[in-house]
Amino acid sequence: RLLALQHGIEVAENTKSQAAAFKLASGAHAERFSISGQVLLADGSPAGGAAVTLLQSDGSAESNVSDDGNFVFTEATGGPGRPLRMTASLQGYRPASIELPAKTTDLHNLKLFLQKQRFGQLQVSVKNAQGALLRNALVSADPDESQQQLSARTDRSGRAQLKGLAWGRRKLSASLAGYYLPQPLEVDVVPDKLSAVELSLLPAFSVKGSVDLPAGTDPQQVYLFLVFVGNENAANTDQPWHENQSALVTRVDSAGRFIFSSVQPGKYSLSAQCPGLLMHALEITVREQMPDLSVKLLRGQALHVDFGASGGGTTVYLLPPGSWDKQRAAGSITVSQTAATGRTNFE
């Protein structure tokens, strides 16, 4: 097995460009071997009808468990740096997993034990910083082994009840417009028991300001994007936790003003875009209520490209300075195709 390498070169006009020498190195070879064992219930009886899934570097494989609890994988794939994970599952039982180190030899007589699945309940109170209970907050528990996620909203009393939670350690989160949760809460779900827990939300911030537009620009064409970049201090584990790190999007009003509500503390990239205008981006740190921001959009310069009559149908990429690799510059390039005359324009 060989490792593939690639190099990039600049091709200059009317010159012979020298490409870097390629050297292929031997990579870690994937070994094939067999794995077998038994899936048993907690009392030692065979778990007939269960299924065993093997996750390996090149995909997954599944083996059905026989009535006597046996399973076998005849062609498992592993090797140096290729750990394996095996999971046994059976309806009504808690999945059991085992981590297997990187192996190149056969593994036999493995045993996985399944325990009866049991469920508990959580009654979650959501409060603000002053201790007042908050209604209509969305409370969620992270997915369990079956990838089931449960959620509920707080009622008028500020409480929500999550039922049917698989026992074990779970993470709870809560969200409400105008607030944020500093950190998810880890709780233990006790089988056949209703446990009471509390979550405290802090006031979120707003990011607002105005966009200065050239005369004649339609404000309805302006979009602003606020993207979470990271915590203010990445080494500080007490920094706020961000449940949703996707971009926030808003538009300006007729006066060019904008606002992002319910913004959590952290570092963000704020960008404004409008067709025909140059994008404006800036980095901001949200740690308290911020003063109004001012963003200015300017008109770009038109670029006319002419390859002559023989250049019709040519695809032209306009990349940032020094970015010859259009894959690395993805998201910041402009593409156009020349007409039959060999001409095209970048506005």
Side-chain angles (χ1 to χ4, degrees):
R1 181 172 181 169
L2 300 177
L3 299 180
L5 304 175
Q6 71 175 35
H7 295 291
I9 62 171
E10 296 282 358
V11 179
E13 182 181 7
N14 297 325
T15 63
K16 181 178 181 181
S17 301
Q18 182 65 42
F22 285 89
K23 183 178 180 181
L24 296 179
S26 296
H29 186 65
E31 300 287 346
R32 295 191 178 276
F33 51 94
S34 63
I35 299 177
S36 64
Q38 275 189 309
V39 180
L40 305 171
L41 302 182
D43 60 4
S45 59
V52 179
T53 301
L54 181 65
L55 296 179
Q56 44 198 0
S57 59
D58 59 352
S60 63
E62 186 168 310
S63 174
N64 293 322
V65 177
S66 63
D67 292 339
D68 55 4
N70 292 318
F71 68 89
V72 61
F73 293 93
T74 56
E75 288 193 354
T77 304
R82 296 170 175 266
L84 307 172
R85 179 180 177 86
M86 184 180 298
T87 301
S89 58
L90 180 63
Q91 183 69 30
Y93 289 82
R94 191 179 183 86
S97 297
I98 182 174
E99 297 284 349
L100 302 175
K103 291 287 185 180
T104 58
T105 57
D106 294 346
L107 296 172
H108 300 295
N109 300 319
L110 295 177
K111 295 186 184 298
L112 292 91
F113 290 88
L114 297 177
Q115 300 183 57
K116 193 74 174 178
Q117 184 66 284
R118 299 170 65 187
F119 302 91
Q121 302 180 46
L122 292 176
Q123 181 172 281
V124 185
S125 301
V126 180
K127 300 181 178 181
N128 63 15
Q130 291 72 40
L133 290 164
L134 300 172
R135 61 177 298 182
N136 205 38
L138 180 64
V139 179
S140 302
D142 65 340
D144 56 19
E145 295 87 345
S146 63
Q147 300 303 311
Q148 180 182 17
Q149 182 177 20
L150 296 178
S151 61
R153 289 194 177 274
T154 55
D155 55 21
R156 293 182 178 180
S157 68
R159 297 177 177 87
Q161 191 161 319
L162 299 178
K163 302 178 180 180
L165 291 169
W167 64 274
R169 179 61 60 94
R170 305 291 290 274
K171 285 185 178 181
L172 290 181
S173 63
S175 59
L176 181 64
Y179 295 87
Y180 74 94
L181 180 68
Q183 292 288 341
L185 177 66
E186 291 194 359
V187 298
D188 288 313
V189 178
V190 181
D192 307 317
K193 181 180 178 181
L194 174 64
S195 303
V197 296
E198 291 185 358
L199 291 174
S200 295
L201 301 183
L202 298 179
F205 305 106
S206 62
V207 175
K208 58 183 180 176
S210 60
V211 180
D212 184 8
L213 299 170
T217 304
D218 181 6
Q220 293 298 312
Q221 298 296 316
V222 180
Y223 285 85
L224 290 103
F225 302 86
L226 188 65
V227 181
F228 175 73
V229 176
N231 291 321
E232 184 176 0
N233 183 359
N236 185 355
T237 57
D238 293 331
Q239 289 288 308
W241 160 81
H242 285 249
E243 178 183 16
N244 186 359
Q245 296 185 4
S246 59
L248 301 175
V249 183
T250 191
R251 301 170 73 173
V252 299
D253 60 18
S254 58
R257 296 193 57 81
F258 67 89
I259 183 170
F260 292 96
S261 302
S262 300
V263 180
Q264 302 180 30
K267 292 183 178 181
Y268 291 84
S269 172
L270 174 65
S271 62
Q273 300 181 25
C274 180
L277 302 181
L278 297 176
M279 183 184 73
H280 184 106
L282 66 156
E283 300 291 329
I284 63 174
T285 298
V286 178
R287 66 168 67 94
E288 57 188 15
Q289 195 57 53
M290 303 177 59
D292 285 8
L293 300 173
S294 179
V295 180
K296 187 173 185 178
L297 293 181
L298 301 174
R299 295 195 184 278
Q301 180 178 353
L303 175 65
H304 304 282
V305 180
D306 187 349
F307 287 125
S310 62
T314 301
T315 301
V316 185
Y317 298 88
L318 187 64
L319 290 77
S323 301
W324 62 268
D325 188 339
K326 63 177 183 290
Q327 291 182 338
R328 294 182 182 179
S332 60
I333 64 176
T334 305
V335 183
S336 182
Q337 190 169 30
T338 60
T341 59
R343 298 176 181 177
T344 187
N345 296 323
F346 291 93
E347 300 295 338

PDB file of all heavy atoms in Angstrom, residues 139-174:
ATOM      1  N   VAL A 139     -35.697  22.019  27.177  1.00  0.00           N
ATOM      2  CA  VAL A 139     -34.748  21.188  27.915  1.00  0.00           C
ATOM      3  C   VAL A 139     -34.509  19.909  27.121  1.00  0.00           C
ATOM      4  O   VAL A 139     -35.462  19.262  26.682  1.00  0.00           O
ATOM      5  CB  VAL A 139     -35.282  20.849  29.323  1.00  0.00           C
ATOM      6  CG1 VAL A 139     -34.293  19.964  30.068  1.00  0.00           C
ATOM      7  CG2 VAL A 139     -35.564  22.126  30.104  1.00  0.00           C
ATOM      8  N   SER A 140     -33.243  19.555  26.923  1.00  0.00           N
ATOM      9  CA  SER A 140     -32.908  18.376  26.117  1.00  0.00           C
ATOM     10  C   SER A 140     -31.870  17.534  26.825  1.00  0.00           C
ATOM     11  O   SER A 140     -30.977  18.054  27.503  1.00  0.00           O
ATOM     12  CB  SER A 140     -32.380  18.784  24.735  1.00  0.00           C
ATOM     13  OG  SER A 140     -33.321  19.570  24.033  1.00  0.00           O
ATOM     14  N   ALA A 141     -31.996  16.225  26.656  1.00  0.00           N
ATOM     15  CA  ALA A 141     -30.991  15.273  27.130  1.00  0.00           C
ATOM     16  C   ALA A 141     -30.256  14.741  25.916  1.00  0.00           C
ATOM     17  O   ALA A 141     -30.871  14.457  24.884  1.00  0.00           O
ATOM     18  CB  ALA A 141     -31.635  14.128  27.916  1.00  0.00           C
ATOM     19  N   ASP A 142     -28.925  14.598  26.022  1.00  0.00           N
ATOM     20  CA  ASP A 142     -28.148  14.129  24.876  1.00  0.00           C
ATOM     21  C   ASP A 142     -28.544  12.706  24.519  1.00  0.00           C
ATOM     22  O   ASP A 142     -29.104  11.969  25.336  1.00  0.00           O
ATOM     23  CB  ASP A 142     -26.647  14.226  25.167  1.00  0.00           C
ATOM     24  CG  ASP A 142     -26.211  13.305  26.291  1.00  0.00           C
ATOM     25  OD1 ASP A 142     -27.077  12.885  27.075  1.00  0.00           O
ATOM     26  OD2 ASP A 142     -25.014  13.005  26.391  1.00  0.00           O
ATOM     27  N   PRO A 143     -28.292  12.269  23.279  1.00  0.00           N
ATOM     28  CA  PRO A 143     -28.710  10.935  22.847  1.00  0.00           C
ATOM     29  C   PRO A 143     -28.072   9.828  23.678  1.00  0.00           C
ATOM     30  O   PRO A 143     -26.930   9.941  24.119  1.00  0.00           O
ATOM     31  CB  PRO A 143     -28.234  10.871  21.388  1.00  0.00           C
ATOM     32  CG  PRO A 143     -28.094  12.305  20.968  1.00  0.00           C
ATOM     33  CD  PRO A 143     -27.668  13.038  22.200  1.00  0.00           C
ATOM     34  N   ASP A 144     -28.831   8.752  23.899  1.00  0.00           N
ATOM     35  CA  ASP A 144     -28.284   7.584  24.574  1.00  0.00           C
ATOM     36  C   ASP A 144     -27.698   6.621  23.545  1.00  0.00           C
ATOM     37  O   ASP A 144     -27.506   6.975  22.386  1.00  0.00           O
ATOM     38  CB  ASP A 144     -29.357   6.891  25.430  1.00  0.00           C
ATOM     39  CG  ASP A 144     -30.586   6.497  24.609  1.00  0.00           C
ATOM     40  OD1 ASP A 144     -30.461   6.425  23.367  1.00  0.00           O
ATOM     41  OD2 ASP A 144     -31.653   6.266  25.183  1.00  0.00           O
ATOM     42  N   GLU A 145     -27.411   5.392  23.979  1.00  0.00           N
ATOM     43  CA  GLU A 145     -26.783   4.428  23.073  1.00  0.00           C
ATOM     44  C   GLU A 145     -27.635   4.131  21.847  1.00  0.00           C
ATOM     45  O   GLU A 145     -27.128   3.769  20.793  1.00  0.00           O
ATOM     46  CB  GLU A 145     -26.465   3.118  23.806  1.00  0.00           C
ATOM     47  CG  GLU A 145     -25.434   3.259  24.911  1.00  0.00           C
ATOM     48  CD  GLU A 145     -26.081   3.640  26.230  1.00  0.00           C
ATOM     49  OE1 GLU A 145     -27.252   4.061  26.221  1.00  0.00           O
ATOM     50  OE2 GLU A 145     -25.412   3.514  27.276  1.00  0.00           O
ATOM     51  N   SER A 146     -28.943   4.285  21.979  1.00  0.00           N
ATOM     52  CA  SER A 146     -29.832   4.034  20.842  1.00  0.00           C
ATOM     53  C   SER A 146     -30.024   5.284  19.986  1.00  0.00           C
ATOM     54  O   SER A 146     -30.855   5.297  19.085  1.00  0.00           O
ATOM     55  CB  SER A 146     -31.200   3.560  21.346  1.00  0.00           C
ATOM     56  OG  SER A 146     -31.822   4.566  22.128  1.00  0.00           O
ATOM     57  N   GLN A 147     -29.229   6.344  20.302  1.00  0.00           N
ATOM     58  CA  GLN A 147     -29.288   7.607  19.567  1.00  0.00           C
ATOM     59  C   GLN A 147     -30.631   8.300  19.714  1.00  0.00           C
ATOM     60  O   GLN A 147     -31.021   9.112  18.877  1.00  0.00           O
ATOM     61  CB  GLN A 147     -28.968   7.394  18.084  1.00  0.00           C
ATOM     62  CG  GLN A 147     -27.592   6.828  17.835  1.00  0.00           C
ATOM     63  CD  GLN A 147     -26.495   7.699  18.434  1.00  0.00           C
ATOM     64  OE1 GLN A 147     -26.459   8.893  18.239  1.00  0.00           O
ATOM     65  NE2 GLN A 147     -25.604   7.078  19.189  1.00  0.00           N
ATOM     66  N   GLN A 148     -31.341   8.017  20.813  1.00  0.00           N
ATOM     67  CA  GLN A 148     -32.617   8.670  21.067  1.00  0.00           C
ATOM     68  C   GLN A 148     -32.387   9.912  21.920  1.00  0.00           C
ATOM     69  O   GLN A 148     -31.764   9.845  22.982  1.00  0.00           O
ATOM     70  CB  GLN A 148     -33.582   7.722  21.775  1.00  0.00           C
ATOM     71  CG  GLN A 148     -34.946   8.359  22.070  1.00  0.00           C
ATOM     72  CD  GLN A 148     -35.872   7.416  22.819  1.00  0.00           C
ATOM     73  OE1 GLN A 148     -35.424   6.429  23.389  1.00  0.00           O
ATOM     74  NE2 GLN A 148     -37.153   7.717  22.821  1.00  0.00           N
ATOM     75  N   GLN A 149     -32.875  11.042  21.453  1.00  0.00           N
ATOM     76  CA  GLN A 149     -32.753  12.295  22.192  1.00  0.00           C
ATOM     77  C   GLN A 149     -34.131  12.742  22.630  1.00  0.00           C
ATOM     78  O   GLN A 149     -35.061  12.798  21.832  1.00  0.00           O
ATOM     79  CB  GLN A 149     -32.095  13.387  21.356  1.00  0.00           C
ATOM     80  CG  GLN A 149     -31.897  14.693  22.116  1.00  0.00           C
ATOM     81  CD  GLN A 149     -31.175  15.738  21.274  1.00  0.00           C
ATOM     82  OE1 GLN A 149     -31.145  15.644  20.067  1.00  0.00           O
ATOM     83  NE2 GLN A 149     -30.583  16.723  21.923  1.00  0.00           N
ATOM     84  N   LEU A 150     -34.262  13.054  23.917  1.00  0.00           N
ATOM     85  CA  LEU A 150     -35.534  13.474  24.456  1.00  0.00           C
ATOM     86  C   LEU A 150     -35.474  14.946  24.829  1.00  0.00           C
ATOM     87  O   LEU A 150     -34.452  15.443  25.295  1.00  0.00           O
ATOM     88  CB  LEU A 150     -35.884  12.635  25.690  1.00  0.00           C
ATOM     89  CG  LEU A 150     -36.105  11.141  25.442  1.00  0.00           C
ATOM     90  CD1 LEU A 150     -36.392  10.426  26.758  1.00  0.00           C
ATOM     91  CD2 LEU A 150     -37.246  10.911  24.474  1.00  0.00           C
ATOM     92  N   SER A 151     -36.594  15.649  24.636  1.00  0.00           N
ATOM     93  CA  SER A 151     -36.662  17.058  24.989  1.00  0.00           C
ATOM     94  C   SER A 151     -38.079  17.399  25.407  1.00  0.00           C
ATOM     95  O   SER A 151     -39.048  16.708  25.059  1.00  0.00           O
ATOM     96  CB  SER A 151     -36.203  17.945  23.829  1.00  0.00           C
ATOM     97  OG  SER A 151     -37.032  17.753  22.699  1.00  0.00           O
ATOM     98  N   ALA A 152     -38.206  18.489  26.164  1.00  0.00           N
ATOM     99  CA  ALA A 152     -39.507  18.973  26.613  1.00  0.00           C
ATOM    100  C   ALA A 152     -39.353  20.440  26.990  1.00  0.00           C
ATOM    101  O   ALA A 152     -38.258  20.906  27.305  1.00  0.00           O
ATOM    102  CB  ALA A 152     -40.021  18.162  27.796  1.00  0.00           C
ATOM    103  N   ARG A 153     -40.467  21.185  26.972  1.00  0.00           N
ATOM    104  CA  ARG A 153     -40.449  22.593  27.340  1.00  0.00           C
ATOM    105  C   ARG A 153     -40.988  22.777  28.759  1.00  0.00           C
ATOM    106  O   ARG A 153     -41.875  22.039  29.200  1.00  0.00           O
ATOM    107  CB  ARG A 153     -41.270  23.433  26.354  1.00  0.00           C
ATOM    108  CG  ARG A 153     -40.610  23.551  24.984  1.00  0.00           C
ATOM    109  CD  ARG A 153     -41.251  24.633  24.145  1.00  0.00           C
ATOM    110  NE  ARG A 153     -40.572  24.781  22.861  1.00  0.00           N
ATOM    111  CZ  ARG A 153     -39.515  25.543  22.667  1.00  0.00           C
ATOM    112  NH1 ARG A 153     -39.018  26.250  23.682  1.00  0.00           N
ATOM    113  NH2 ARG A 153     -38.943  25.626  21.480  1.00  0.00           N
ATOM    114  N   THR A 154     -40.430  23.771  29.435  1.00  0.00           N
ATOM    115  CA  THR A 154     -40.895  24.055  30.786  1.00  0.00           C
ATOM    116  C   THR A 154     -42.307  24.640  30.741  1.00  0.00           C
ATOM    117  O   THR A 154     -42.661  25.409  29.839  1.00  0.00           O
ATOM    118  CB  THR A 154     -39.954  25.033  31.499  1.00  0.00           C
ATOM    119  OG1 THR A 154     -39.812  26.226  30.708  1.00  0.00           O
ATOM    120  CG2 THR A 154     -38.578  24.417  31.688  1.00  0.00           C
ATOM    121  N   ASP A 155     -43.110  24.285  31.737  1.00  0.00           N
ATOM    122  CA  ASP A 155     -44.485  24.774  31.819  1.00  0.00           C
ATOM    123  C   ASP A 155     -44.517  26.107  32.571  1.00  0.00           C
ATOM    124  O   ASP A 155     -43.492  26.751  32.786  1.00  0.00           O
ATOM    125  CB  ASP A 155     -45.379  23.730  32.492  1.00  0.00           C
ATOM    126  CG  ASP A 155     -44.839  23.317  33.863  1.00  0.00           C
ATOM    127  OD1 ASP A 155     -44.041  24.096  34.451  1.00  0.00           O
ATOM    128  OD2 ASP A 155     -45.207  22.245  34.354  1.00  0.00           O
ATOM    129  N   ARG A 156     -45.701  26.498  32.980  1.00  0.00           N
ATOM    130  CA  ARG A 156     -45.840  27.777  33.675  1.00  0.00           C
ATOM    131  C   ARG A 156     -45.066  27.816  34.982  1.00  0.00           C
ATOM    132  O   ARG A 156     -44.706  28.899  35.456  1.00  0.00           O
ATOM    133  CB  ARG A 156     -47.319  28.054  33.941  1.00  0.00           C
ATOM    134  CG  ARG A 156     -48.131  28.297  32.671  1.00  0.00           C
ATOM    135  CD  ARG A 156     -49.571  28.614  33.013  1.00  0.00           C
ATOM    136  NE  ARG A 156     -50.356  28.901  31.813  1.00  0.00           N
ATOM    137  CZ  ARG A 156     -51.645  29.206  31.822  1.00  0.00           C
ATOM    138  NH1 ARG A 156     -52.300  29.274  32.990  1.00  0.00           N
ATOM    139  NH2 ARG A 156     -52.272  29.449  30.689  1.00  0.00           N
ATOM    140  N   SER A 157     -44.827  26.667  35.564  1.00  0.00           N
ATOM    141  CA  SER A 157     -44.068  26.616  36.818  1.00  0.00           C
ATOM    142  C   SER A 157     -42.562  26.609  36.586  1.00  0.00           C
ATOM    143  O   SER A 157     -41.786  26.569  37.547  1.00  0.00           O
ATOM    144  CB  SER A 157     -44.470  25.371  37.617  1.00  0.00           C
ATOM    145  OG  SER A 157     -44.037  24.188  36.949  1.00  0.00           O
ATOM    146  N   GLY A 158     -42.131  26.635  35.297  1.00  0.00           N
ATOM    147  CA  GLY A 158     -40.710  26.631  35.003  1.00  0.00           C
ATOM    148  C   GLY A 158     -40.069  25.260  35.088  1.00  0.00           C
ATOM    149  O   GLY A 158     -38.849  25.148  35.221  1.00  0.00           O
ATOM    150  N   ARG A 159     -40.879  24.208  34.994  1.00  0.00           N
ATOM    151  CA  ARG A 159     -40.360  22.850  35.122  1.00  0.00           C
ATOM    152  C   ARG A 159     -40.745  22.013  33.904  1.00  0.00           C
ATOM    153  O   ARG A 159     -41.816  22.181  33.330  1.00  0.00           O
ATOM    154  CB  ARG A 159     -40.886  22.178  36.399  1.00  0.00           C
ATOM    155  CG  ARG A 159     -40.427  22.871  37.674  1.00  0.00           C
ATOM    156  CD  ARG A 159     -41.016  22.217  38.915  1.00  0.00           C
ATOM    157  NE  ARG A 159     -40.514  22.830  40.133  1.00  0.00           N
ATOM    158  CZ  ARG A 159     -41.065  23.903  40.706  1.00  0.00           C
ATOM    159  NH1 ARG A 159     -42.141  24.461  40.155  1.00  0.00           N
ATOM    160  NH2 ARG A 159     -40.543  24.410  41.807  1.00  0.00           N
ATOM    161  N   ALA A 160     -39.854  21.115  33.536  1.00  0.00           N
ATOM    162  CA  ALA A 160     -40.099  20.172  32.435  1.00  0.00           C
ATOM    163  C   ALA A 160     -39.779  18.770  32.912  1.00  0.00           C
ATOM    164  O   ALA A 160     -38.858  18.579  33.728  1.00  0.00           O
ATOM    165  CB  ALA A 160     -39.242  20.523  31.222  1.00  0.00           C
ATOM    166  N   GLN A 161     -40.507  17.813  32.413  1.00  0.00           N
ATOM    167  CA  GLN A 161     -40.285  16.428  32.818  1.00  0.00           C
ATOM    168  C   GLN A 161     -39.856  15.603  31.618  1.00  0.00           C
ATOM    169  O   GLN A 161     -40.535  15.580  30.588  1.00  0.00           O
ATOM    170  CB  GLN A 161     -41.552  15.841  33.456  1.00  0.00           C
ATOM    171  CG  GLN A 161     -41.319  14.494  34.140  1.00  0.00           C
ATOM    172  CD  GLN A 161     -42.424  14.152  35.126  1.00  0.00           C
ATOM    173  OE1 GLN A 161     -42.882  15.013  35.861  1.00  0.00           O
ATOM    174  NE2 GLN A 161     -42.846  12.897  35.144  1.00  0.00           N
ATOM    175  N   LEU A 162     -38.699  14.948  31.749  1.00  0.00           N
ATOM    176  CA  LEU A 162     -38.189  14.058  30.713  1.00  0.00           C
ATOM    177  C   LEU A 162     -38.429  12.626  31.155  1.00  0.00           C
ATOM    178  O   LEU A 162     -37.885  12.180  32.172  1.00  0.00           O
ATOM    179  CB  LEU A 162     -36.695  14.309  30.493  1.00  0.00           C
ATOM    180  CG  LEU A 162     -36.303  15.716  30.017  1.00  0.00           C
ATOM    181  CD1 LEU A 162     -34.789  15.833  29.896  1.00  0.00           C
ATOM    182  CD2 LEU A 162     -36.960  16.050  28.691  1.00  0.00           C
ATOM    183  N   LYS A 163     -39.222  11.905  30.364  1.00  0.00           N
ATOM    184  CA  LYS A 163     -39.570  10.527  30.701  1.00  0.00           C
ATOM    185  C   LYS A 163     -38.874   9.562  29.748  1.00  0.00           C
ATOM    186  O   LYS A 163     -38.497   9.920  28.643  1.00  0.00           O
ATOM    187  CB  LYS A 163     -41.085  10.330  30.627  1.00  0.00           C
ATOM    188  CG  LYS A 163     -41.882  11.262  31.533  1.00  0.00           C
ATOM    189  CD  LYS A 163     -43.382  11.020  31.363  1.00  0.00           C
ATOM    190  CE  LYS A 163     -44.195  11.945  32.253  1.00  0.00           C
ATOM    191  NZ  LYS A 163     -45.660  11.721  32.101  1.00  0.00           N
ATOM    192  N   GLY A 164     -38.737   8.324  30.179  1.00  0.00           N
ATOM    193  CA  GLY A 164     -38.173   7.291  29.317  1.00  0.00           C
ATOM    194  C   GLY A 164     -36.702   7.454  29.030  1.00  0.00           C
ATOM    195  O   GLY A 164     -36.231   7.095  27.945  1.00  0.00           O
ATOM    196  N   LEU A 165     -35.939   8.007  29.993  1.00  0.00           N
ATOM    197  CA  LEU A 165     -34.495   8.165  29.810  1.00  0.00           C
ATOM    198  C   LEU A 165     -33.779   6.883  30.206  1.00  0.00           C
ATOM    199  O   LEU A 165     -33.981   6.365  31.314  1.00  0.00           O
ATOM    200  CB  LEU A 165     -33.974   9.325  30.665  1.00  0.00           C
ATOM    201  CG  LEU A 165     -34.412  10.731  30.244  1.00  0.00           C
ATOM    202  CD1 LEU A 165     -34.048  11.735  31.322  1.00  0.00           C
ATOM    203  CD2 LEU A 165     -33.781  11.118  28.926  1.00  0.00           C
ATOM    204  N   ALA A 166     -32.940   6.374  29.315  1.00  0.00           N
ATOM    205  CA  ALA A 166     -32.143   5.191  29.647  1.00  0.00           C
ATOM    206  C   ALA A 166     -31.204   5.531  30.805  1.00  0.00           C
ATOM    207  O   ALA A 166     -30.614   6.609  30.850  1.00  0.00           O
ATOM    208  CB  ALA A 166     -31.352   4.728  28.439  1.00  0.00           C
ATOM    209  N   TRP A 167     -31.079   4.614  31.760  1.00  0.00           N
ATOM    210  CA  TRP A 167     -30.277   4.892  32.949  1.00  0.00           C
ATOM    211  C   TRP A 167     -28.803   5.099  32.572  1.00  0.00           C
ATOM    212  O   TRP A 167     -28.322   4.615  31.558  1.00  0.00           O
ATOM    213  CB  TRP A 167     -30.402   3.753  33.957  1.00  0.00           C
ATOM    214  CG  TRP A 167     -29.860   2.430  33.481  1.00  0.00           C
ATOM    215  CD1 TRP A 167     -30.521   1.490  32.754  1.00  0.00           C
ATOM    216  CD2 TRP A 167     -28.547   1.915  33.696  1.00  0.00           C
ATOM    217  NE1 TRP A 167     -29.725   0.420  32.486  1.00  0.00           N
ATOM    218  CE2 TRP A 167     -28.490   0.642  33.058  1.00  0.00           C
ATOM    219  CE3 TRP A 167     -27.425   2.385  34.352  1.00  0.00           C
ATOM    220  CZ2 TRP A 167     -27.346  -0.144  33.072  1.00  0.00           C
ATOM    221  CZ3 TRP A 167     -26.289   1.598  34.367  1.00  0.00           C
ATOM    222  CH2 TRP A 167     -26.262   0.355  33.735  1.00  0.00           C
ATOM    223  N   GLY A 168     -28.118   5.854  33.436  1.00  0.00           N
ATOM    224  CA  GLY A 168     -26.711   6.144  33.204  1.00  0.00           C
ATOM    225  C   GLY A 168     -26.455   7.651  33.187  1.00  0.00           C
ATOM    226  O   GLY A 168     -27.332   8.466  33.467  1.00  0.00           O
ATOM    227  N   ARG A 169     -25.215   8.027  32.870  1.00  0.00           N
ATOM    228  CA  ARG A 169     -24.817   9.424  32.844  1.00  0.00           C
ATOM    229  C   ARG A 169     -25.310  10.084  31.562  1.00  0.00           C
ATOM    230  O   ARG A 169     -25.077   9.592  30.465  1.00  0.00           O
ATOM    231  CB  ARG A 169     -23.288   9.510  32.945  1.00  0.00           C
ATOM    232  CG  ARG A 169     -22.695  10.907  32.900  1.00  0.00           C
ATOM    233  CD  ARG A 169     -23.178  11.778  34.026  1.00  0.00           C
ATOM    234  NE  ARG A 169     -22.866  11.284  35.338  1.00  0.00           N
ATOM    235  CZ  ARG A 169     -21.785  11.641  36.044  1.00  0.00           C
ATOM    236  NH1 ARG A 169     -20.915  12.496  35.526  1.00  0.00           N
ATOM    237  NH2 ARG A 169     -21.599  11.156  37.254  1.00  0.00           N
ATOM    238  N   ARG A 170     -25.997  11.239  31.710  1.00  0.00           N
ATOM    239  CA  ARG A 170     -26.518  11.988  30.569  1.00  0.00           C
ATOM    240  C   ARG A 170     -26.149  13.456  30.737  1.00  0.00           C
ATOM    241  O   ARG A 170     -25.910  13.930  31.843  1.00  0.00           O
ATOM    242  CB  ARG A 170     -28.036  11.850  30.457  1.00  0.00           C
ATOM    243  CG  ARG A 170     -28.560  10.424  30.384  1.00  0.00           C
ATOM    244  CD  ARG A 170     -28.195   9.758  29.078  1.00  0.00           C
ATOM    245  NE  ARG A 170     -28.912  10.327  27.957  1.00  0.00           N
ATOM    246  CZ  ARG A 170     -30.124   9.924  27.578  1.00  0.00           C
ATOM    247  NH1 ARG A 170     -30.742   8.964  28.238  1.00  0.00           N
ATOM    248  NH2 ARG A 170     -30.698  10.476  26.519  1.00  0.00           N
ATOM    249  N   LYS A 171     -26.160  14.194  29.624  1.00  0.00           N
ATOM    250  CA  LYS A 171     -25.929  15.631  29.639  1.00  0.00           C
ATOM    251  C   LYS A 171     -27.236  16.348  29.331  1.00  0.00           C
ATOM    252  O   LYS A 171     -27.940  15.997  28.387  1.00  0.00           O
ATOM    253  CB  LYS A 171     -24.860  16.024  28.621  1.00  0.00           C
ATOM    254  CG  LYS A 171     -23.445  15.679  29.034  1.00  0.00           C
ATOM    255  CD  LYS A 171     -22.439  16.221  28.024  1.00  0.00           C
ATOM    256  CE  LYS A 171     -21.011  15.929  28.464  1.00  0.00           C
ATOM    257  NZ  LYS A 171     -20.013  16.468  27.496  1.00  0.00           N
ATOM    258  N   LEU A 172     -27.522  17.370  30.142  1.00  0.00           N
ATOM    259  CA  LEU A 172     -28.723  18.160  29.963  1.00  0.00           C
ATOM    260  C   LEU A 172     -28.357  19.555  29.463  1.00  0.00           C
ATOM    261  O   LEU A 172     -27.364  20.143  29.892  1.00  0.00           O
ATOM    262  CB  LEU A 172     -29.491  18.302  31.280  1.00  0.00           C
ATOM    263  CG  LEU A 172     -30.187  17.061  31.843  1.00  0.00           C
ATOM    264  CD1 LEU A 172     -30.907  17.427  33.137  1.00  0.00           C
ATOM    265  CD2 LEU A 172     -31.162  16.484  30.837  1.00  0.00           C
ATOM    266  N   SER A 173     -29.174  20.084  28.574  1.00  0.00           N
ATOM    267  CA  SER A 173     -29.005  21.450  28.088  1.00  0.00           C
ATOM    268  C   SER A 173     -30.364  22.122  28.073  1.00  0.00           C
ATOM    269  O   SER A 173     -31.406  21.463  28.081  1.00  0.00           O
ATOM    270  CB  SER A 173     -28.370  21.474  26.696  1.00  0.00           C
ATOM    271  OG  SER A 173     -29.227  20.831  25.759  1.00  0.00           O
ATOM    272  N   ALA A 174     -30.357  23.454  28.075  1.00  0.00           N
ATOM    273  CA  ALA A 174     -31.591  24.217  28.013  1.00  0.00           C
ATOM    274  C   ALA A 174     -31.352  25.468  27.181  1.00  0.00           C
ATOM    275  O   ALA A 174     -30.253  26.041  27.209  1.00  0.00           O
ATOM    276  CB  ALA A 174     -32.078  24.587  29.410  1.00  0.00           C
TER     277      ALA A 174
END
